[in-house]
Amino acid sequence: MIGLVIVSHSRMLAEGVKELALQMGQNKVKIEAAGGIDDDENPIGTDPMKIEEAIRAAYSDDGVLVLMDIGSAIMSAEIALEFLDDDVRNKVVLCEAPLVEGAIAAAAQAMSGSNLKEVIAEAKNSLQAKNVLLQNEDNQEADINEQNNELELTTRNLQIIVPNKLGLHARPAAKLIEIVNAFDANALVALDSKKPVSASSISLVGTMGAKKGEILNFTLSGKEADKLEKALIEFQASNFGDEDKEIIRSTTKIEKVKSVSDGIQGIAASSGIAIAKAIWFKKDLPIIEKEHTDDAEHEIVLLQEAIKCVNRDLDSIQQKIASKFKNDEAQIIDFHKLLLQDKDLFESVVNMLREESVKASFAWSSQIKKLEKQYLAMNNEYLRERASDVVEIGNKVLCELLGEPKNKIDLKEECIIVTDELGPAETMDLDLNLVKGIVTRVGGETSHSAILARSLGIPAIVGVGDKIDKIPNKELLAIDGVSGEIWTKNHTSIIADLRKRKKIDDEMRESSQAKAKAPACTKDGKTVQILANVSGAKEAKIAFENGAEGVGLYRTEFLFMNRDKMPSEEEQYQAYKEVCISMEGHPVCIRTLDVGGDKPIPYLDIAEENNPFLGLRGIRYCLQNTELFKTQLRAICRLSAKYNVRIMYPMVGVIEEVISANMLLREVQQDLLKEGIDFSPNMSVGVMMEVPSSIFFIPQLANELDFLSIGTNDLTQYLLALDRDNRSVAKYHSPFHPAVLEAIREILMRSKKAGLEVSMCGELAGNTKATNLLLALGLEKFSMNGPAIPAVKEKIRGINFSAQKLLVNKLSTKRTLKELKTLIGES
């Protein structure tokens, strides 16, 4: 069933809309509210982390629909999506429907078991009831048009509104071709009322110039047209696969070249200051004369071989980019590869070969120039910049056909590369120890080389125009990647100032990086370990850059979601290994599969329960499905041979569950021993402290375990018997409740006495308002979402630990939640 998330600047409004929607969904639909910010004086606003948590809580394999009110709510929701793994994010749709009416309509539609597309449509059409009651004729006519559109959908005529900021640029165009080619179906696409073209041709689709908000009209036919239709709808829902945060949001067109105090002005493409010798890189190709041949078929074979050779080079380049930046930047090469696979481009060259009896080099060069002109004629700056990609890939094939050596920048000393244009492949070939900056004649801030320069941390200025010819080869050059200014050796005073700025910038960058990675140490010398809660390698990498000293909670259930069968042992091993690699030797605590309750997974066949939160979930499910559990344990144990991993069982309520789980763990280790597979016999084992009963057998747990981790979210729910999703009792649901804090203090006291290490991985650990109190209670390990780490570390550095002990005495005098919150505010 589809999950819903309500995002508003007002917490009360979000909760109120949730209450209405729950009624319409007969309390069967999972609905989460993410309203306001945690600031008692200025509570109006939106918090990306709250939205992320709400999405995770409402998550369903069927999808999650997010409805927002105004302004920054949309931006915050987009940021929240960036915290999610790709497999989760792809199931989440931000919907422009009206907040109140849309939520009510969506809940009613979701309750009926409708799919995400149907729920979105109902949310968007949610004003129909008002239109009818108010007898709004214009809107009734719109409703009729909407019905006609639905009729068209049944005949496989599909309309898609371009959702992403930069429209159908290179990366989404490449993805669209990939989707179309994956199905046994034919697809034509037209921009608004223009002539349709083949949706499997990158040269045709890429030059359409579809911008955000424009309509793509698809005509689908064939055996799998219905599947293709669904895939295209999902493609739109995924924002055409674009993470808009990576794209420069430039709304002001910068003049290509203008003088600045007789310096040179270009377009700032990658920040930073570079001062070094200018080295010109010329990419001159011979002029291709029109030569005739009597053997067109031989020329076709030569062209095919040249394309194959370039394809192999591109595979190698893409692997190099992926190994350095993972998949996002590597997708840049997809556009190049699809150009080589473009049937329309290839057929246009073949037709020219056969009709005009010319050499392959001339025919290929002619068609590439034609395609380049089409891109340069686009009215979209980003798409015009793709012309350089067309030229680069065209020249690669041309070099193969002519037997010319590949262009390669061979450097001997530190320098700033000066060239007409630089493609992504050439950028990746640069020696980063020697290249200090890049200056190009053409290109823009969204060119692929600019994107890679930013990723590589190389200052870059592009679009300099003809004034680039004023830059002498092998003479001193200084560039400012923020202002776009270029200075030659004659500007001695300016270059001297830039050297000073560069030194300050370098020191600030080093200080900032060191601070992020520096320990969280109080003023009086107490060091606190700060760990991260992650769901995959991407989050782990972000957390590590934010200063995480390990993973305190790796939620493995997300690896099991969004699929129709359980991940294999090897797949799990590789996924867990990626997280360990991201942590660069720091400990990684892997929580075993935590399903049931609010995390259903259809293929696991968990029976419907009257009260799933008190039923077969967490370790209870795993102990009843031992083959699944042992497969996961094998993957984790194998990992322990090379990496610092720990294992943690969720939802433990009785000591028997721990004893049984450990028996299965030993069985797995015995099996691995017999098979000659390495593992660490000293791997630490722990449990989540989230069921209140577990507090009372901590001494017994000490005989079975090495550590405990407090999960404040569920501990609060179970301790207070308050469903956090129930609006009528939400008033008292808070980890700051005196009873919850008393339980935390009891866990810490009993664990210390029993010699058990304790951390906290619940929401409270990342709340800076609780940091003082948690330290006072004796917590020495905090685990939280990666983006929260710097703030908590900074908070700890400003605390005098010995002075916080007075808070514990004050805590015992506070009886109510309000009194406790007042105490926290005073601390």
PDB file of all heavy atoms in Angstrom, residues 281-286 313 395-396 398-409 426:
ATOM      1  N   PHE A 281      47.157  23.203 -25.065  1.00  0.00           N
ATOM      2  CA  PHE A 281      46.890  21.866 -25.590  1.00  0.00           C
ATOM      3  C   PHE A 281      46.080  22.019 -26.862  1.00  0.00           C
ATOM      4  O   PHE A 281      44.905  22.414 -26.828  1.00  0.00           O
ATOM      5  CB  PHE A 281      46.126  21.038 -24.559  1.00  0.00           C
ATOM      6  CG  PHE A 281      45.646  19.695 -25.065  1.00  0.00           C
ATOM      7  CD1 PHE A 281      46.529  18.819 -25.676  1.00  0.00           C
ATOM      8  CD2 PHE A 281      44.322  19.312 -24.920  1.00  0.00           C
ATOM      9  CE1 PHE A 281      46.096  17.585 -26.135  1.00  0.00           C
ATOM     10  CE2 PHE A 281      43.883  18.082 -25.373  1.00  0.00           C
ATOM     11  CZ  PHE A 281      44.765  17.208 -25.984  1.00  0.00           C
ATOM     12  N   LYS A 282      46.722  21.777 -28.009  1.00  0.00           N
ATOM     13  CA  LYS A 282      46.057  21.925 -29.303  1.00  0.00           C
ATOM     14  C   LYS A 282      45.504  20.574 -29.755  1.00  0.00           C
ATOM     15  O   LYS A 282      46.148  19.551 -29.605  1.00  0.00           O
ATOM     16  CB  LYS A 282      47.047  22.443 -30.353  1.00  0.00           C
ATOM     17  CG  LYS A 282      47.620  23.821 -30.042  1.00  0.00           C
ATOM     18  CD  LYS A 282      46.584  24.916 -30.267  1.00  0.00           C
ATOM     19  CE  LYS A 282      47.219  26.304 -30.107  1.00  0.00           C
ATOM     20  NZ  LYS A 282      46.240  27.390 -30.339  1.00  0.00           N
ATOM     21  N   LYS A 283      44.312  20.614 -30.305  1.00  0.00           N
ATOM     22  CA  LYS A 283      43.671  19.368 -30.763  1.00  0.00           C
ATOM     23  C   LYS A 283      43.346  19.492 -32.261  1.00  0.00           C
ATOM     24  O   LYS A 283      42.200  19.358 -32.679  1.00  0.00           O
ATOM     25  CB  LYS A 283      42.393  19.088 -29.969  1.00  0.00           C
ATOM     26  CG  LYS A 283      42.635  18.891 -28.494  1.00  0.00           C
ATOM     27  CD  LYS A 283      41.435  18.304 -27.789  1.00  0.00           C
ATOM     28  CE  LYS A 283      40.269  19.234 -27.763  1.00  0.00           C
ATOM     29  NZ  LYS A 283      39.124  18.698 -26.993  1.00  0.00           N
ATOM     30  N   ASP A 284      44.360  19.790 -33.046  1.00  0.00           N
ATOM     31  CA  ASP A 284      44.143  19.987 -34.476  1.00  0.00           C
ATOM     32  C   ASP A 284      43.985  18.647 -35.193  1.00  0.00           C
ATOM     33  O   ASP A 284      44.789  17.727 -35.021  1.00  0.00           O
ATOM     34  CB  ASP A 284      45.317  20.748 -35.096  1.00  0.00           C
ATOM     35  CG  ASP A 284      45.436  22.146 -34.512  1.00  0.00           C
ATOM     36  OD1 ASP A 284      44.385  22.724 -34.172  1.00  0.00           O
ATOM     37  OD2 ASP A 284      46.573  22.637 -34.385  1.00  0.00           O
ATOM     38  N   LEU A 285      42.947  18.550 -35.992  1.00  0.00           N
ATOM     39  CA  LEU A 285      42.737  17.377 -36.833  1.00  0.00           C
ATOM     40  C   LEU A 285      42.897  17.786 -38.295  1.00  0.00           C
ATOM     41  O   LEU A 285      42.612  18.937 -38.663  1.00  0.00           O
ATOM     42  CB  LEU A 285      41.331  16.810 -36.615  1.00  0.00           C
ATOM     43  CG  LEU A 285      41.118  16.018 -35.331  1.00  0.00           C
ATOM     44  CD1 LEU A 285      39.645  15.736 -35.140  1.00  0.00           C
ATOM     45  CD2 LEU A 285      41.906  14.734 -35.352  1.00  0.00           C
ATOM     46  N   PRO A 286      43.337  16.889 -39.108  1.00  0.00           N
ATOM     47  CA  PRO A 286      43.493  17.240 -40.526  1.00  0.00           C
ATOM     48  C   PRO A 286      42.142  17.563 -41.170  1.00  0.00           C
ATOM     49  O   PRO A 286      41.101  17.047 -40.763  1.00  0.00           O
ATOM     50  CB  PRO A 286      44.099  15.963 -41.134  1.00  0.00           C
ATOM     51  CG  PRO A 286      43.712  14.874 -40.181  1.00  0.00           C
ATOM     52  CD  PRO A 286      43.694  15.502 -38.832  1.00  0.00           C
ATOM     53  N   ASP A 313      37.345   2.056 -25.446  1.00  0.00           N
ATOM     54  CA  ASP A 313      38.017   3.138 -24.716  1.00  0.00           C
ATOM     55  C   ASP A 313      37.063   3.801 -23.726  1.00  0.00           C
ATOM     56  O   ASP A 313      37.437   4.125 -22.596  1.00  0.00           O
ATOM     57  CB  ASP A 313      38.540   4.193 -25.696  1.00  0.00           C
ATOM     58  CG  ASP A 313      39.780   3.723 -26.446  1.00  0.00           C
ATOM     59  OD1 ASP A 313      40.371   2.713 -26.013  1.00  0.00           O
ATOM     60  OD2 ASP A 313      40.137   4.349 -27.457  1.00  0.00           O
ATOM     61  N   ASN A 395      35.366  13.138 -33.015  1.00  0.00           N
ATOM     62  CA  ASN A 395      36.806  13.176 -33.287  1.00  0.00           C
ATOM     63  C   ASN A 395      37.501  11.879 -32.872  1.00  0.00           C
ATOM     64  O   ASN A 395      38.485  11.468 -33.494  1.00  0.00           O
ATOM     65  CB  ASN A 395      37.450  14.359 -32.558  1.00  0.00           C
ATOM     66  CG  ASN A 395      37.132  15.688 -33.232  1.00  0.00           C
ATOM     67  OD1 ASN A 395      36.623  15.715 -34.354  1.00  0.00           O
ATOM     68  ND2 ASN A 395      37.406  16.786 -32.542  1.00  0.00           N
ATOM     69  N   LYS A 396      37.013  11.246 -31.821  1.00  0.00           N
ATOM     70  CA  LYS A 396      37.596   9.971 -31.416  1.00  0.00           C
ATOM     71  C   LYS A 396      37.448   8.932 -32.534  1.00  0.00           C
ATOM     72  O   LYS A 396      38.379   8.185 -32.846  1.00  0.00           O
ATOM     73  CB  LYS A 396      36.935   9.471 -30.135  1.00  0.00           C
ATOM     74  CG  LYS A 396      37.421  10.152 -28.866  1.00  0.00           C
ATOM     75  CD  LYS A 396      36.740   9.567 -27.645  1.00  0.00           C
ATOM     76  CE  LYS A 396      37.294  10.184 -26.372  1.00  0.00           C
ATOM     77  NZ  LYS A 396      38.713   9.837 -26.132  1.00  0.00           N
ATOM     78  N   LEU A 398      36.928   9.599 -35.654  1.00  0.00           N
ATOM     79  CA  LEU A 398      37.688  10.077 -36.803  1.00  0.00           C
ATOM     80  C   LEU A 398      39.167   9.715 -36.668  1.00  0.00           C
ATOM     81  O   LEU A 398      39.811   9.311 -37.645  1.00  0.00           O
ATOM     82  CB  LEU A 398      37.525  11.603 -36.909  1.00  0.00           C
ATOM     83  CG  LEU A 398      37.796  12.241 -38.276  1.00  0.00           C
ATOM     84  CD1 LEU A 398      36.968  11.584 -39.367  1.00  0.00           C
ATOM     85  CD2 LEU A 398      37.497  13.735 -38.211  1.00  0.00           C
ATOM     86  N   CYS A 399      39.715   9.845 -35.463  1.00  0.00           N
ATOM     87  CA  CYS A 399      41.114   9.462 -35.242  1.00  0.00           C
ATOM     88  C   CYS A 399      41.342   7.992 -35.580  1.00  0.00           C
ATOM     89  O   CYS A 399      42.374   7.620 -36.156  1.00  0.00           O
ATOM     90  CB  CYS A 399      41.497   9.723 -33.790  1.00  0.00           C
ATOM     91  SG  CYS A 399      41.831  11.453 -33.411  1.00  0.00           S
ATOM     92  N   GLU A 400      40.376   7.150 -35.195  1.00  0.00           N
ATOM     93  CA  GLU A 400      40.495   5.720 -35.500  1.00  0.00           C
ATOM     94  C   GLU A 400      40.446   5.473 -37.008  1.00  0.00           C
ATOM     95  O   GLU A 400      41.223   4.672 -37.547  1.00  0.00           O
ATOM     96  CB  GLU A 400      39.361   4.945 -34.819  1.00  0.00           C
ATOM     97  CG  GLU A 400      39.448   4.903 -33.303  1.00  0.00           C
ATOM     98  CD  GLU A 400      40.666   4.147 -32.801  1.00  0.00           C
ATOM     99  OE1 GLU A 400      41.168   3.260 -33.524  1.00  0.00           O
ATOM    100  OE2 GLU A 400      41.127   4.453 -31.685  1.00  0.00           O
ATOM    101  N   LEU A 401      39.537   6.168 -37.698  1.00  0.00           N
ATOM    102  CA  LEU A 401      39.407   5.976 -39.146  1.00  0.00           C
ATOM    103  C   LEU A 401      40.651   6.447 -39.893  1.00  0.00           C
ATOM    104  O   LEU A 401      41.057   5.850 -40.894  1.00  0.00           O
ATOM    105  CB  LEU A 401      38.183   6.739 -39.663  1.00  0.00           C
ATOM    106  CG  LEU A 401      36.820   6.135 -39.314  1.00  0.00           C
ATOM    107  CD1 LEU A 401      35.694   7.122 -39.651  1.00  0.00           C
ATOM    108  CD2 LEU A 401      36.600   4.823 -40.062  1.00  0.00           C
ATOM    109  N   LEU A 402      41.274   7.518 -39.396  1.00  0.00           N
ATOM    110  CA  LEU A 402      42.442   8.091 -40.081  1.00  0.00           C
ATOM    111  C   LEU A 402      43.753   7.492 -39.611  1.00  0.00           C
ATOM    112  O   LEU A 402      44.818   7.779 -40.172  1.00  0.00           O
ATOM    113  CB  LEU A 402      42.471   9.609 -39.860  1.00  0.00           C
ATOM    114  CG  LEU A 402      41.298  10.393 -40.443  1.00  0.00           C
ATOM    115  CD1 LEU A 402      41.348  11.838 -39.968  1.00  0.00           C
ATOM    116  CD2 LEU A 402      41.302  10.325 -41.962  1.00  0.00           C
ATOM    117  N   GLY A 403      43.688   6.683 -38.534  1.00  0.00           N
ATOM    118  CA  GLY A 403      44.918   6.125 -37.988  1.00  0.00           C
ATOM    119  C   GLY A 403      45.761   7.165 -37.284  1.00  0.00           C
ATOM    120  O   GLY A 403      46.977   7.010 -37.139  1.00  0.00           O
ATOM    121  N   GLU A 404      45.122   8.264 -36.862  1.00  0.00           N
ATOM    122  CA  GLU A 404      45.843   9.334 -36.160  1.00  0.00           C
ATOM    123  C   GLU A 404      46.037   8.939 -34.699  1.00  0.00           C
ATOM    124  O   GLU A 404      45.187   8.277 -34.104  1.00  0.00           O
ATOM    125  CB  GLU A 404      45.039  10.644 -36.220  1.00  0.00           C
ATOM    126  CG  GLU A 404      44.880  11.198 -37.625  1.00  0.00           C
ATOM    127  CD  GLU A 404      46.155  11.862 -38.110  1.00  0.00           C
ATOM    128  OE1 GLU A 404      46.970  12.271 -37.249  1.00  0.00           O
ATOM    129  OE2 GLU A 404      46.351  11.954 -39.327  1.00  0.00           O
ATOM    130  N   PRO A 405      47.125   9.362 -34.067  1.00  0.00           N
ATOM    131  CA  PRO A 405      47.313   9.072 -32.632  1.00  0.00           C
ATOM    132  C   PRO A 405      46.265   9.812 -31.797  1.00  0.00           C
ATOM    133  O   PRO A 405      45.842  10.915 -32.151  1.00  0.00           O
ATOM    134  CB  PRO A 405      48.718   9.598 -32.338  1.00  0.00           C
ATOM    135  CG  PRO A 405      48.980  10.626 -33.408  1.00  0.00           C
ATOM    136  CD  PRO A 405      48.255  10.130 -34.628  1.00  0.00           C
ATOM    137  N   LYS A 406      45.845   9.180 -30.724  1.00  0.00           N
ATOM    138  CA  LYS A 406      44.854   9.784 -29.841  1.00  0.00           C
ATOM    139  C   LYS A 406      45.460  10.992 -29.146  1.00  0.00           C
ATOM    140  O   LYS A 406      46.625  11.002 -28.761  1.00  0.00           O
ATOM    141  CB  LYS A 406      44.372   8.767 -28.796  1.00  0.00           C
ATOM    142  CG  LYS A 406      43.658   7.577 -29.399  1.00  0.00           C
ATOM    143  CD  LYS A 406      43.209   6.625 -28.314  1.00  0.00           C
ATOM    144  CE  LYS A 406      42.435   5.467 -28.902  1.00  0.00           C
ATOM    145  NZ  LYS A 406      43.275   4.615 -29.745  1.00  0.00           N
ATOM    146  N   ASN A 407      44.630  12.051 -29.007  1.00  0.00           N
ATOM    147  CA  ASN A 407      45.077  13.243 -28.300  1.00  0.00           C
ATOM    148  C   ASN A 407      45.336  12.912 -26.835  1.00  0.00           C
ATOM    149  O   ASN A 407      44.467  12.396 -26.153  1.00  0.00           O
ATOM    150  CB  ASN A 407      43.999  14.331 -28.378  1.00  0.00           C
ATOM    151  CG  ASN A 407      43.846  14.864 -29.790  1.00  0.00           C
ATOM    152  OD1 ASN A 407      44.786  15.396 -30.350  1.00  0.00           O
ATOM    153  ND2 ASN A 407      42.663  14.697 -30.361  1.00  0.00           N
ATOM    154  N   LYS A 408      46.526  13.194 -26.375  1.00  0.00           N
ATOM    155  CA  LYS A 408      46.848  12.939 -24.969  1.00  0.00           C
ATOM    156  C   LYS A 408      47.722  14.076 -24.455  1.00  0.00           C
ATOM    157  O   LYS A 408      48.634  14.528 -25.133  1.00  0.00           O
ATOM    158  CB  LYS A 408      47.577  11.608 -24.812  1.00  0.00           C
ATOM    159  CG  LYS A 408      47.738  11.199 -23.339  1.00  0.00           C
ATOM    160  CD  LYS A 408      48.205   9.773 -23.237  1.00  0.00           C
ATOM    161  CE  LYS A 408      48.411   9.354 -21.790  1.00  0.00           C
ATOM    162  NZ  LYS A 408      47.176   9.359 -21.010  1.00  0.00           N
ATOM    163  N   ILE A 409      47.381  14.556 -23.257  1.00  0.00           N
ATOM    164  CA  ILE A 409      48.128  15.660 -22.663  1.00  0.00           C
ATOM    165  C   ILE A 409      49.295  15.073 -21.861  1.00  0.00           C
ATOM    166  O   ILE A 409      49.097  14.433 -20.837  1.00  0.00           O
ATOM    167  CB  ILE A 409      47.222  16.498 -21.749  1.00  0.00           C
ATOM    168  CG1 ILE A 409      45.984  16.973 -22.528  1.00  0.00           C
ATOM    169  CG2 ILE A 409      47.970  17.680 -21.177  1.00  0.00           C
ATOM    170  CD1 ILE A 409      44.963  17.700 -21.687  1.00  0.00           C
ATOM    171  N   GLU A 426      39.202  13.372 -21.665  1.00  0.00           N
ATOM    172  CA  GLU A 426      40.484  14.061 -21.555  1.00  0.00           C
ATOM    173  C   GLU A 426      40.687  14.613 -20.139  1.00  0.00           C
ATOM    174  O   GLU A 426      41.800  14.601 -19.619  1.00  0.00           O
ATOM    175  CB  GLU A 426      40.536  15.196 -22.581  1.00  0.00           C
ATOM    176  CG  GLU A 426      40.571  14.684 -24.012  1.00  0.00           C
ATOM    177  CD  GLU A 426      40.101  15.710 -25.024  1.00  0.00           C
ATOM    178  OE1 GLU A 426      39.380  16.648 -24.648  1.00  0.00           O
ATOM    179  OE2 GLU A 426      40.439  15.553 -26.205  1.00  0.00           O
TER     180      GLU A 426
END
